[in-house]
């Protein structure tokens, strides 16, 4: 019997398989009908197999169902997991799933509903199954499943990242809190004053040290302004200093007087820094400061003491020069006396030109007295204790005045002065008397250094010059020089190599130099002797 004949026999013999074979043939492409005999050999398959499975019925009939389809046991009816065939129970039905890869490579999934076929004696002669194409549904589900899985993975991923980020934020927060606490303790433990304030001077923050200093609580200070605490004479200057701050030069140090909590006037030193917004406008200022009253007072005391010492040293120099000075004064006075006697004689004898000669003598007397008065005036200025007064000075004049003060000493020691003064010497700012004092010291030391040289070798070149920044006076002697003596020690207080020396002359020259922002230094000559240089800064030009 052919396969078709077998099938027809099965169909006609089955009381429940009432559908005509034409019905099967007209099945939609989505449905598949498979009939099999008792051994599970396929006896019939609907033509839709061509569309669904890519195989014609002729290719399929004669195969076992398990050969035709990959059966999915896991999804099949649990009542009969291991068989695609209906159970012995004649009424039993079973559902199973199978799939097959078509020749075009696509896998087709089918759900099969199987039931038994009976003959007239109610004997099972085979099975008949209807298969539904689930491919699209399964693919959709698979896509959905995959999307769900993807979504779940993304969600899990996101949750992990959120957790990590949260942990990190928490850690950063803790670190910030810790560093803020550290910063606060640094700010609060400072002995220096720390403040922040807005343009106009209103405090936004002050530290403990400043509260203690002004004896007011933080609550009182924040919101108030500090401007009234600045001494009124210094206020405009401080405001100007603060107004001058720019993003390029954002900080300035300022020293000014303040009204202190106890009513006294003190000195504050502040470093003020402006904080700018991106547009270059000042948002806030922060300042670090301290009370420098004691320092200022100490510095003032030191300055006073130094000035006193400088004066005492001048007096001491005068003491050394007193014999020479007496001689200098004596000379014109002696000359005046002689001229006075000559004038008297001429007038007494009534000689014809007696009166005119007497007048000439009177003129000489007048010159002599004027010269004496000038020497005395100069000496008085040199020895007087006057406050330091800075003025514009020509260093050439200072050099000459100083040489006049020790003119006698120069003559006595047979030192020849060689003047090399620059003609167009710029003026310098300084105190005339103190600058003369430096020059007198340098002159005296030079003369003393040449005492052991032969008379003809005792030459002292006094030279003035200037470079870009300084106006310089140099005393270049041909004396004993320094030998092994360390040049740097010359300016130490009490350093002396002389038996009667005090060792204060050059040390005080250094003090005077410091007060003038000047430099003083010694250098060995190429030949014999030593050169001492004194360089004063050129005044800064105030460009309009
Ligand atoms: P004093 O003259 O009392 O010794 P100074 O401070 O004026 O004190 O000088 C310190 C020392 O510097 C001198 O004792 C001397 O040794 C040295 N000194 C100063 N000027 C010269 C100089 N022109 N040549 C050699 N030595 C000098």
């Amino acid at each position: 019997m052919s396969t078709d004949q077998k099938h027809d026999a099965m169909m006609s013999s089955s009381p429940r398989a009432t559908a005509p074979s034409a019905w099967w043939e007209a099945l939609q492409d989505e449905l598949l009908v498979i009939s099999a005999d008792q051994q599970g050999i396929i006896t019939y398959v609907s033509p839709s197999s061509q569309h669904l499975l890519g195989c014609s019925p002729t290719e399929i009939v004669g195969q076992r169902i398990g050969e035709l389809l990959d059966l999915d046991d896991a999804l099949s009816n649990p009542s009969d997991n291991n068989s695609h065939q209906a159970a012995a129970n004649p009424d039993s039905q079973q559902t199973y799933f199978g799939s097959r890869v078509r020749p075009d490579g696509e896998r087709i999934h089918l759900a099969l509903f199987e039931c038994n076929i009976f003959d007239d004696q109610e004997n099972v002669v085979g099975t008949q199954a209807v298969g539904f194409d689930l491919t699209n549904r399964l693919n959709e589900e698979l896509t959905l499943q995959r999307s769900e899985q993807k979504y779940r993975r993304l969600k899990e991923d996101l949750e992990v990242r959120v957790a990590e980020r949260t942990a990190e934020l928490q850690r950063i927060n803790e670190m910030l809190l810790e560093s803020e606490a550290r910063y606060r303790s640094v700010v609060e433990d400072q002995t220096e004053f720390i403040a922040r304030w807005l343009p106009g001077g209103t405090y936004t923050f002050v530290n403990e040290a400043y509260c203690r200093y002004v004896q007011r609580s933080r609550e009182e200070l924040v919101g108030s302004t500090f401007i009234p605490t600045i001494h009124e004479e210094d206020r405009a200057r401080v405001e100007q200093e603060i107004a001058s701050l720019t993003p390029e030069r954002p900080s300035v140090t300022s020293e000014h007087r303040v009204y202190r909590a106890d009513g006294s006037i003190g000195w504050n030193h502040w470093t003020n820094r402006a904080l700018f917004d991106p547009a270059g406008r000042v948002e806030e200022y922060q300042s670090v400061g301290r009370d420098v009253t004691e320092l200022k007072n100490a510095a003032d005391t030191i300055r006073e003491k130094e000035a006193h010492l400088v004066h005492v040293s001048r007096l001491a120099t005068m003491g050394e020069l007193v014999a020479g000075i007496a001689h200098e004064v004596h000379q014109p006075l002696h000359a005046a006396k002689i001229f006075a006697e000559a004038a008297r004689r001429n007038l007494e004898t009534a000689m014809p030109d007696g009166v005119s000669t007497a007048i000439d003598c009177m003129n000489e007397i007048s010159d002599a007295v004027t010269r004496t008065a000038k020497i005395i005036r100069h000496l008085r200025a040199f020895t007087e204790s006057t406050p330091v007064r800075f003025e514009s000075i020509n260093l050439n004049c200072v050099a000459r005045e100083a040489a006049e003060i020790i003119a006698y000493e120069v003559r006595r020691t047979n030192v020849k002065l060689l003047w090399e003064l620059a003609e167009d010497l710029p003026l310098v700012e300084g105190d005339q008397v103190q600058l003369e004092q430096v020059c007198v010291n340098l002159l005296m030391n030079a003369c003393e250094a040449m005492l052991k040289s032969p008379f003809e070798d005792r030459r002292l070149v006094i030279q003035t010059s200037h470079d870009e920044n300084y106006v310089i006076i140099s005393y270049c002697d041909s004396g004993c020089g320094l030998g092994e003596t360390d040049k740097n020690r010359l300016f130490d207080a009490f350093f002396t190599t002389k038996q009667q020396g005090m060792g204060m002359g050059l040390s005080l020259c250094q003090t005077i130099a410091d007060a003038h922002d000047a430099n003083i230094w010694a250098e060995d000559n190429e030949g014999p002797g030593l050169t001492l240089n004194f360089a004063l800064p050129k005044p800064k030009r105030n460009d309009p």
Side-chain angles (χ1 to χ4, degrees), residues 49-66:
S49 68
Q50 184 66 54
H51 167 76
L52 282 171
L53 303 176
C55 305
S56 67
T58 336
E59 287 173 275
I60 295 170
V61 170
Q63 289 183 31
R64 289 181 174 281
I65 292 201

Side-chain angles (χ1 to χ4, degrees), residues 14-16 38 85-94 114-119 121-128:
S14 168
R16 290 172 201 144
Q38 267 178 300
Q85 240 182 328
N89 177 358
D91 291 330
S92 75
Q93 288 185 359
Q94 74 163 349
E114 186 181 71
C115 61
N116 292 330
I117 302 171
F118 304 94
D119 62 11
Q121 280 79 48
E122 294 289 322
N123 297 320
V124 175
V125 290
T127 58
Q128 190 175 10

Side-chain angles (χ1 to χ4, degrees), residues 506-520:
L506 288 182
S507 156
L508 285 164
C509 287
Q510 178 73 69
T511 306
I512 294 171
D514 292 344
H516 286 77
D517 279 336
N519 298 320
I520 185 164

Side-chain angles (χ1 to χ4, degrees), residues 300-420:
D300 286 350
T301 312
I302 288 174
R303 250 195 306 280
E304 273 166 32
K305 291 230 178 324
E306 271 175 4
H308 183 64
L309 203 60
V310 166
H311 177 236
V312 169
S313 147
R314 274 204 304 277
L315 291 180
T317 307
M318 274 303 148
E320 286 176 43
L321 298 176
V322 76
I325 291 163
H327 187 261
E328 290 296 286
V329 175
H330 176 75
Q331 263 189 337
L333 285 181
H334 183 66
K337 185 175 174 247
I338 289 172
F339 280 118
E341 279 171 7
R344 184 169 52 84
R345 261 199 316 276
N346 272 289
L347 291 173
E348 278 174 355
T349 53
M351 289 171 58
D353 55 352
V355 172
S356 68
T357 310
I359 290 171
D360 288 345
C361 287
M362 292 300 173
N363 286 338
E364 293 290 344
I365 292 166
S366 172
D367 284 353
V369 171
T370 307
R371 217 165 48 247
T372 313
K374 190 184 162 206
I375 293 171
I376 290 170
R377 214 176 29 248
H378 196 182
L379 290 177
R380 196 191 298 144
F382 193 72
T383 48
E384 246 174 13
S385 171
T386 47
V388 176
R389 192 165 65 93
F390 272 51
E391 55 191 327
S392 288
I393 288 170
N394 185 326
L395 214 50
N396 286 344
C397 299
V398 174
R400 290 208 178 277
E401 298 277 350
E404 261 185 41
I405 292 173
I406 68 156
Y408 180 78
E409 201 58 22
V410 172
R411 276 201 305 280
R412 187 184 68 80
T413 51
N414 286 300
V415 171
K416 189 166 185 215
L417 299 186
L418 303 171
W419 294 91
E420 292 181 11

